[in-house]
Amino acid sequence: MTQPTATGRREVALDEPLRPESSLPGVTGARRRRGAGGRGAYFLRRLGSYLIVIWAAVTLNFFIPRFMPGDPAEAILRKIRQTTGEPPSASQIASVRRMYGNPTENILHQYVDYWVGVAKFDFGVSTAHYPTPVSEIVLQALPWTLFLIGVSTVVAWIIGTILGAVMGWKPGNRFDSWFAPLSTFFHAFPGFWIALVLLWIFSITLEWFPVSGGYDTSVPMSLNNFYFLLSVVYYGALPMFALIFIGFNGWLFSMRNVMVATVTEDYVLMARAKGLPEKKVLFSYAARNALLPNVTGLAMAIGGVIGGAVLIEAVFTYPGMGYLLQTSITGHDFPVMQTVLLLLTFTAIVANFIADSIYVLLDPRAADTN
Amino acid sequence: MTTTSTRTEQPRQDAEREVVLEARDVTKHFTVRGKKGSAVVRAVEGIDLELHRGEIVAMVGESGSGKTTVARLLSLYYPTTGGEILLEGKPVSHVTGRKALTYYGQVQLLFQDPFASLNALKPIRHILGRALKIHGKARGAKQVEQRIHELLTRVNLTPPEQYIDKYPHELSGGQRQRIVIARALAVEPRVMLGDEPISMLDVSIRLDVLNLLKKLRDEEGLALLYITHDIASARYIADRINVMYAGQMVEGGSSEEVIHDPQHPYTRLLLDSSPDPGRGLEGDQQSLFDEVGDLGEPPSLITPPKGCRFNPRCPFAMDICNEKEPEKVEVSPGHWAKCWLHQEGRADLLKQRNIQFGVPIETAAAEAGIDTVNAEDILDRTVALEGETTADLGPFQP
Amino acid sequence: MTRRDVGDVLLEVQDLSVDYLTLNGAVSAVSHASFTLRRGEILGLAGESGSGKSTLTTALLRLQRSPAVTVGGKVLYHGDDGTVTDLVPRTDKELLHLRWNKLAIVMQSAMDALNPVKRLGAQFVDVLRQHDPRMSEKAALERAGDLLALSGIPRDRVDSFPHEMSGGMRQRSLISLALACDPDLVVMDEPTTAVDVVMQRTIMSQVLRLQRELGFAIVFVTHDLSLLLELSDRLAIMYAGKVVEIGPSTELYHHPKHPYTKALRDSFPPLYAPLVEMRGIPGTAPDLMNLPDGCAFAPRCARAMDLCLTKRPELVQVSEKVDAACHLNDPQKEPVGAGPSDARSENGHAA
């Protein structure tokens, strides 16, 4: 008579994804690296999809000017002639044609050339700031925006999330009852209005902060120069404050709402039942789980960083991408405009991918369901 | 276990035993996509079922045994992968539109959750009236109203006027389930398929719903398929019990025979595991929980065990059990089982008073390389680890 | 049925009342519950929806969730050093050292009770290190593995996330977790309701084996009276927030002293006993916001008298080991058996 073995294999319910799982008592020893392996494959798959999206965005950017009526390249070349008073050089003609269409050339050839240009980060020359290459202009503006918006978004997120966690833990208590409406009240103000008020009070009236610019122009621009760095912080203070002030409320409420729901979960009750101190339960059990939607939101928000604070940058005359976009639109500088928009799309996609990845790192369940 | 039947009702007359709904060798496979590509879930295989007029047949099994899939297949919710389903002798397949209406006029499904089955926004009058109107059972407001009253009376919700204007949330669980039954009856079906109709109800009101179903069988000749995981309630109302395991039917027969004289080891396991105070407090039989060990879990339906699907957990497993699927054996008229014990002439093993199904925890632990399972030892033992002093940490001290 | 060695008094619940605060006023979810629990004893708590059994169990451990509030009574915990602590007025901070150490809970759904983003081992480690800070993380993980082994779960599962385990294994890991700090009392709130009957048997037999070895008391809450009758030493039946009968399981099964106990017992169709026509309990559970005057069960009771509709019966001793709240047991109405004695009943009521 054969001896029975307790295999205890688990049967798969129909609506569950497959899990090559075994509860065989015989499986011992090697620690299972299933989690990492599963997630690695997940990342690669997602990376693949995103690469496809990026390719699509860049390709779209290629086709749009070519579908426009007339010949936009010609329009640009004419504009260059007007601005400078002389005809553009052969290399400039070539680069404009590469970006905006050459009716005489084979489209596939153009497409390849275009990608070559994109790879070299060569987007032609600006018409408003002829003959500066677009890439140079954009790269000059980019770090300012990344600094201003990036830092303020992250700081607003941190403040909002922590406050939201604390408020959601005990909703309706004293702090929550006065702070929540107050925060919403301030969130209702338009960003540029707050910026204007701050500018008027602190820069113009009190003269505590500079009125415009991103840094002190009298100091050489170098990351090694302490005074330069100091001026960057000084000039950035007001715009950043404005952005944080209006920004944290959204994070606060989204975190608070998820927290309120999470607090009622059984595992939070279990954590209390285990005798874990309140702070630990709040942060390690409740907030850690409630965090997930906010993290996704953050990554998405960072994607909007570049186009983000056009108005704020305008009010403070802050030399970032938003400001650049604004000036290029008013100045009909198509090359710069188009490149900024392409970059916007690109960062949004990258931010999305990062959001996906962070989510999977934080929530081990995510990689299992595809 | 005795074999004498102690049922109080007489067996149904043959004249009434027309077959209303039948499943012949029905099989359903699902394709699922997962991380490693797609796989086939063999949800149910080889289902042979006959539902006669005026009869309640129970399908008993644990979750994942496929019993709900059978209900869905019989209500043509999914197309079958193999085999056929016959309504009054005529094959039916996945239907839509007009044909579906005709089919559901004959076959009605009762779900587990009475609240989820009813439109919470509509009063009873609307819920029942709609069923009547869609299937053309009543026309005109007066006729509809009258039929609704009749239906409510049939399910013992009297006086009907008290219930007709109520909303589902204003009724108790048991009342809601009666409304679900009334709605099913409104179309005058030949067959009702009840998928765990009482498991979400409070214990003290389950019996009355079961009694109602019995009444419908006795007085109106309804055919009912009663799906449940609770074999005791199956015994209470069903004439016949079929036991399902891992997508297959393993035993079938009259309720009393299956309960008192099970012919399949899984049926025995199910019976032995079902709480029955009569046994514990009165009988001298092994208590439900003494020395049980690990009884295992049902297998994966993607890679089920070769041969008999129960063989990994079966204390009587023989070599053949792991090679070939057992064939159906008629043990006595109307009572069959799929188990090699019968062919090998060892079926009397199933009559033993105590059968050790589980693997004793010590054996399972030893196989897994777990060194000790003595609780006191584990909680007190000295833990000497690398880099730490070998001082005895002693018993757990907060 | 194995009889357990039952020791000294562990928990004395006196007159515990828990209300739910709603917009329409306070609803009494548990009303004046009183009973005594001894070390190593298994007390079953049976009731249907609205009976207050889950509220009572969470209130026992001071884990009630708002809007539930304990409004009266005492929960006296008798430590093994002789001290007696009333848990009710204690704050969460004051209870930290008792939690899990002495009082643990197993919940209905393991999937919900385990932190989904933490590995199983980590969930053992945090409670082990909370209560014994001397323990290193490595040692705590070792112990976690040992505890899983107690329930027959492979050690490598300490690295698993909850969703990676099967339902039965998760439930068993929850039991291991409850025993992590060798508690005096484990409250089990419908721990096997969500699993199948065979897995239930596996789990409960392991629990009982561990109970025999470690000697903890169990309060087992479920609606499945038939399971409780096979499992528990003593049984308390709850209806509409009140304990209506309490006593040894065998007594309640053979000689129920409350019509609800009897009717509940008779709501379970037997497996082997001869089949007869059975009836459930007519009517529905009362609305806790609108409890009738008198006995809450009277509207559904086959033996209700006029007195039952006006006067609420108290939980009193009706035989040597059984307390019941029913006017039918009133000595003036029906002589019950042994007269009043000076002995203190097991259920904490002076005779």
Side-chain angles (χ1 to χ4, degrees):
Chain A
M1 182 166 112
T2 48
Q3 279 301 315
T5 53
T7 48
R9 265 181 294 167
R10 181 174 157 265
E11 164 269 332
V12 173
L14 294 172
D15 55 342
E16 282 182 319
L18 294 184
R19 286 197 255 283
E21 152 155 71
S22 151
S23 49
L24 282 164
V27 176
T28 57
R31 304 205 129 180
R32 204 168 302 195
R33 280 280 154 255
R34 249 197 78 243
R39 287 191 228 162
Y42 180 80
F43 278 128
L44 286 176
R45 271 201 305 272
R46 300 301 280 168
L47 186 63
S49 338
Y50 281 110
L51 288 175
I52 292 174
V53 175
I54 290 175
W55 168 83
V58 175
T59 303
L60 206 64
N61 195 49
F62 169 78
F63 276 110
I64 287 176
R66 285 161 178 80
F67 287 143
M68 277 161 59
D71 186 355
E74 189 57 52
I76 291 170
L77 289 168
R78 211 179 309 127
K79 188 126 197 280
I80 291 178
R81 208 177 297 125
Q82 274 173 5
T83 330
T84 59
E86 27 177 281
S89 71
S91 62
Q92 281 153 5
I93 295 177
S95 77
V96 168
R97 285 258 165 238
R98 182 175 24 89
M99 285 295 292
Y100 300 104
N102 188 345
T104 62
E105 223 185 295
N106 170 274
I107 193 112
L108 201 57
H109 200 218
Q110 291 186 49
Y111 187 60
V112 172
D113 279 344
Y114 169 78
W115 267 101
V116 169
V118 167
K120 292 197 287 199
F121 210 65
D122 177 3
F123 294 104
V125 282
S126 155
T127 52
H129 300 277
Y130 187 83
T132 327
V134 171
S135 45
E136 201 177 297
I137 298 177
V138 166
L139 282 175
Q140 258 175 21
L142 189 60
W144 295 105
T145 299
L146 286 178
F147 170 66
L148 178 70
I149 317 281
V151 171
S152 57
T153 306
V154 170
V155 171
W157 185 88
I158 292 175
I159 294 177
T161 302
I162 292 181
L163 282 176
V166 172
M167 283 162 68
W169 178 244
K170 289 215 161 74
N173 75 348
R174 258 201 319 207
F175 178 62
D176 183 51
S177 50
W178 66 262
F179 193 74
L182 188 71
S183 157
T184 314
F185 175 66
F186 283 116
H187 182 70
F189 290 111
F192 71 87
W193 188 86
I194 298 267
L196 283 167
V197 167
L198 287 171
L199 191 68
W200 188 75
I201 297 177
F202 292 101
S203 300
I204 297 174
T205 314
L206 292 172
E207 291 185 18
W208 288 357
F209 285 94
V211 172
S212 73
Y215 58 97
D216 190 346
T217 42
S218 63
V219 176
M221 220 164 100
S222 150
L223 286 174
N224 296 321
N225 189 324
F226 176 71
Y227 291 107
F228 172 70
L229 292 173
L230 199 63
S231 79
V232 165
V233 171
Y234 181 52
Y235 277 73
L238 267 191
M240 222 177 272
F241 184 79
L243 284 169
I244 293 172
F245 191 77
I246 50 155
F248 81 91
N249 186 75
W251 302 118
L252 189 153
F253 272 98
S254 61
M255 182 64 175
R256 181 185 175 280
N257 290 343
V258 181
M259 193 69 174
V260 166
T262 308
V263 158
T264 59
E265 294 277 358
D266 275 351
Y267 54 83
V268 173
L269 186 68
M270 266 287 275
R272 271 181 67 208
K274 283 186 188 176
L276 301 177
E278 186 179 3
K279 272 216 172 41
K280 180 133 200 227
V281 180
L282 203 175
F283 287 111
S284 184
Y285 277 74
R288 173 68 179 69
N289 278 280
L291 199 58
L292 304 170
N294 256 25
V295 166
T296 312
L298 174 65
M300 306 286 276
I302 291 186
V305 156
I306 298 216
V310 175
L311 292 174
I312 302 274
E313 285 187 9
V315 167
F316 287 100
T317 323
Y318 201 80
M321 296 279 278
Y323 184 65
L324 184 65
L325 188 64
Q326 180 216 353
T327 51
S328 69
I329 289 172
T330 50
H332 298 296
D333 190 344
F334 279 107
V336 171
M337 207 193 321
Q338 199 180 29
T339 309
V340 170
L341 291 172
L342 182 65
L343 217 56
L344 260 161
T345 315
F346 184 77
T347 44
I349 294 169
V350 168
N352 232 287
F353 177 65
I354 294 175
D356 244 349
S357 313
I358 294 180
Y359 196 92
V360 169
L361 285 172
L362 284 178
D363 185 358
R365 295 167 286 184
D368 268 357
T369 52
N370 188 12
Chain B
M1 318 262 171
T2 67
T3 50
T4 50
S5 168
T6 49
R7 288 196 86 80
T8 50
E9 297 98 62
Q10 296 300 315
R12 304 274 135 238
Q13 297 296 332
D14 277 337
E16 288 173 57
R17 303 213 112 207
E18 48 166 309
V19 178
V20 183
L21 188 62
E22 194 180 341
R24 285 190 196 156
D25 200 26
V26 165
T27 300
K28 180 65 185 167
H29 292 171
F30 290 99
T31 313
V32 286
R33 292 205 36 159
K35 280 203 305 233
K36 308 256 165 102
S38 64
V40 174
V41 177
R42 296 159 63 176
V44 295
E45 288 185 349
I47 303 296
D48 289 310
L49 199 58
E50 279 182 5
L51 286 173
H52 300 261
R53 188 168 145 68
E55 181 186 47
I56 297 181
V57 173
M59 295 281 268
V60 178
E62 297 177 291
S63 50
S65 57
K67 51 194 201 302
T68 296
T69 310
V70 169
R72 301 260 170 93
L73 287 167
L74 287 175
S75 54
L76 302 186
Y77 195 67
Y78 313 122
T80 57
T81 312
E84 48 176 7
I85 296 172
L86 300 104
L87 177 65
E88 291 178 333
K90 291 193 285 285
V92 292
S93 52
H94 194 61
V95 287
T96 49
R98 183 101 241 148
K99 278 204 181 150
L101 198 65
T102 320
Y103 188 76
Y104 296 124
Q106 299 292 310
V107 178
Q108 281 283 308
L109 191 49
L110 301 174
F111 293 98
Q112 195 177 3
D113 185 345
F115 199 38
S117 313
L118 298 174
N119 187 343
L121 301 173
K122 298 288 184 191
I124 303 304
R125 175 184 277 115
H126 174 97
I127 293 173
L128 295 179
R130 203 169 145 71
L132 289 165
K133 286 184 227 170
I134 289 177
H135 288 268
K137 298 297 173 187
R139 270 169 249 283
K142 219 170 117 192
Q143 207 184 26
V144 167
E145 185 89 0
Q146 192 193 353
R147 292 301 312 283
I148 294 179
H149 278 248
E150 280 170 21
L151 285 169
L152 287 170
T153 314
R154 261 163 96 191
V155 297
N156 294 333
L157 285 173
T158 49
E161 297 80 25
Q162 196 185 335
Y163 295 97
I164 203 166
D165 284 309
K166 287 227 155 65
Y167 286 82
H169 67 271
E170 293 174 319
L171 302 175
S172 73
Q175 289 165 337
R176 278 182 226 140
Q177 200 63 314
R178 285 167 196 277
I179 297 290
V180 169
I181 294 172
R183 183 180 61 181
L185 288 174
V187 312
E188 290 165 28
R190 309 293 312 276
V191 184
M192 291 222 287
L193 309 170
D195 190 355
E196 307 240 29
I198 58 166
S199 56
M200 285 186 78
L201 302 179
D202 267 340
V203 163
S204 59
I205 50 183
R206 289 180 188 177
L207 271 177
D208 286 334
V209 175
L210 288 180
N211 286 338
L212 172 60
L213 294 172
K214 282 210 307 185
K215 184 180 99 156
L216 292 171
R217 170 196 63 192
D218 296 337
E219 293 175 11
E220 308 194 13
L222 190 66
L224 175 71
L225 180 67
Y226 177 67
I227 294 173
T228 182
H229 60 272
D230 173 19
I231 199 167
S233 68
R235 182 202 178 208
Y236 183 71
I237 66 166
D239 301 299
R240 294 183 57 81
I241 291 182
N242 291 311
V243 180
M244 280 200 75
Y245 182 76
Q248 296 173 326
M249 289 169 64
V250 297
E251 183 170 351
S254 79
S255 305
E256 291 305 290
E257 280 185 26
V258 172
I259 300 275
H260 290 284
D261 194 16
Q263 296 300 318
H264 192 284
Y266 176 66
T267 313
R268 241 330 268 272
L269 176 59
L270 211 53
L271 289 166
D272 287 354
S273 305
S274 303
D276 188 37
R279 164 185 53 211
L281 293 172
E282 301 189 56
D284 54 350
Q285 205 179 335
Q286 171 191 40
S287 158
L288 189 56
F289 305 116
D290 283 345
E291 307 306 324
V292 162
D294 186 352
L295 296 168
E297 293 179 61
S300 154
L301 290 178
I302 297 170
T303 48
K306 190 155 178 261
C308 170
R309 291 185 181 182
F310 188 66
N311 90 74
R313 297 164 77 183
C314 185
F316 311 124
M318 306 172 282
D319 287 334
I320 191 174
C321 301
N322 202 16
E323 290 161 23
K324 288 204 300 186
E325 275 189 34
E327 291 151 11
K328 197 174 190 174
V329 169
E330 183 108 346
V331 175
S332 62
H335 189 181
W336 60 268
K338 287 190 188 169
C339 178
W340 288 119
L341 285 174
H342 297 282
Q343 280 89 339
E344 301 282 320
R346 301 174 66 206
D348 45 306
L349 282 172
L350 290 165
K351 297 205 205 294
Q352 288 172 52
R353 204 156 186 79
N354 296 320
I355 298 181
Q356 178 72 4
F357 274 99
V359 178
I361 203 88
E362 287 77 16
T363 316
E367 277 180 14
I370 300 168
D371 37 14
T372 171
V373 289
N374 180 283
E376 286 290 347
D377 282 355
I378 286 179
L379 290 177
D380 284 0
R381 81 180 190 177
T382 308
V383 178
L385 296 165
E386 266 186 281
E388 288 198 352
T389 64
T390 51
D392 186 354
L393 279 181
F396 189 75
Q397 264 169 37
Chain C
M1 190 143 141
T2 43
R3 289 283 149 238
R4 262 162 283 280
D5 289 323
V6 166
D8 304 320
V9 170
L10 173 66
L11 207 67
E12 259 185 277
V13 178
Q14 292 175 357
D15 242 12
L16 187 63
S17 295
V18 182
D19 282 357
Y20 273 97
L21 302 176
T22 69
L23 289 172
N24 299 329
V27 179
S28 177
V30 175
S31 168
H32 304 286
S34 300
F35 58 87
T36 305
L37 184 69
R38 292 177 176 278
R39 288 180 181 276
E41 186 175 32
I42 299 184
L43 175 69
L45 200 55
E48 301 176 285
S49 43
S51 58
K53 58 189 195 300
S54 284
T55 312
L56 176 56
T57 40
T58 46
L60 271 184
L61 299 186
R62 305 285 298 126
L63 287 172
Q64 68 275 16
R65 276 188 266 226
S66 66
V69 178
T70 307
V71 293
K74 299 183 183 187
V75 177
L76 299 171
Y77 168 73
H78 294 242
D80 48 13
D81 52 359
T83 55
V84 179
T85 333
D86 183 6
L87 301 179
V88 170
R90 301 262 99 76
T91 63
D92 265 356
K93 247 208 178 96
E94 290 166 348
L95 292 169
L96 279 191
H97 75 283
L98 280 180
R99 287 214 198 281
W100 224 250
N101 244 337
K102 305 288 177 196
L103 310 164
I105 186 166
V106 175
M107 294 190 207
Q108 181 172 353
S109 163
M111 191 64 234
D112 293 339
L114 293 171
N115 190 337
V117 300
K118 267 186 163 207
R119 294 185 198 270
L120 189 59
Q123 306 197 37
F124 279 81
V125 167
D126 64 16
V127 68
L128 286 170
R129 298 190 73 196
Q130 169 67 22
H131 292 284
D132 187 359
R134 299 173 304 159
M135 199 178 259
S136 73
E137 177 147 351
K138 202 168 168 193
L141 265 178
E142 271 286 316
R143 175 158 280 160
D146 292 342
L147 287 161
L148 288 178
L150 275 184
S151 291
I153 298 174
R155 270 171 190 279
D156 62 352
R157 287 296 179 172
V158 290
D159 285 338
S160 298
F161 287 102
H163 66 278
E164 292 172 348
M165 301 193 289
S166 72
M169 194 174 274
R170 265 200 300 267
Q171 206 69 19
R172 278 147 58 191
S173 69
L174 211 58
I175 291 170
S176 284
L177 187 54
L179 299 176
C181 303
D182 201 4
D184 290 338
L185 168 64
V186 180
V187 172
M188 300 194 172
D189 190 353
E190 308 243 30
T192 53
T193 300
V195 299
D196 287 314
V197 75
V198 178
M199 175 55 70
Q200 170 176 274
R201 191 174 171 213
T202 303
I203 291 176
M204 290 321 301
S205 88
Q206 278 173 1
V207 167
L208 288 177
R209 183 176 54 89
L210 292 168
Q211 200 267 351
R212 274 195 299 273
E213 294 182 26
L214 297 171
F216 51 88
I218 301 180
V219 173
F220 195 101
V221 176
T222 179
H223 61 271
D224 189 351
L225 186 60
S226 53
L227 174 64
L228 280 182
L229 287 167
E230 298 225 42
L231 181 65
S232 47
D233 301 317
R234 285 201 308 141
L235 201 45
I237 311 283
M238 287 190 74
Y239 188 79
K242 294 180 80 68
V243 176
V244 296
E245 187 166 357
I246 179 166
S249 308
T250 40
E251 276 297 306
L252 263 69
Y253 178 73
H254 290 289
H255 309 291
K257 293 272 187 276
H258 192 288
Y260 178 64
T261 311
K262 180 158 185 290
L264 195 61
R265 179 199 67 179
D266 293 344
S267 293
F268 292 87
L271 203 46
Y272 298 118
L275 266 184
V276 290
E277 182 78 12
M278 296 170 77
R279 287 239 162 315
I281 308 179
T284 60
D287 179 2
L288 290 175
M289 293 220 63
N290 284 316
L291 281 178
D293 297 332
C295 175
F297 186 63
R300 303 168 79 187
C301 182
R303 298 179 64 191
M305 309 177 287
D306 289 335
L307 180 63
C308 304
L309 298 170
T310 51
K311 185 162 176 252
R312 187 161 292 171
E314 295 298 319
L315 187 66
V316 292
Q317 188 178 9
V318 297
S319 77
E320 193 194 317
K321 294 185 177 175
V322 176
D323 292 357
C326 179
H327 292 305
L328 291 168
N329 295 308
D330 206 336
Q332 289 143 322
K333 301 276 174 251
E334 225 169 85
V336 173
S341 71
D342 291 330
R344 201 175 171 79
S345 88
E346 266 178 51
N347 303 316
H349 295 278

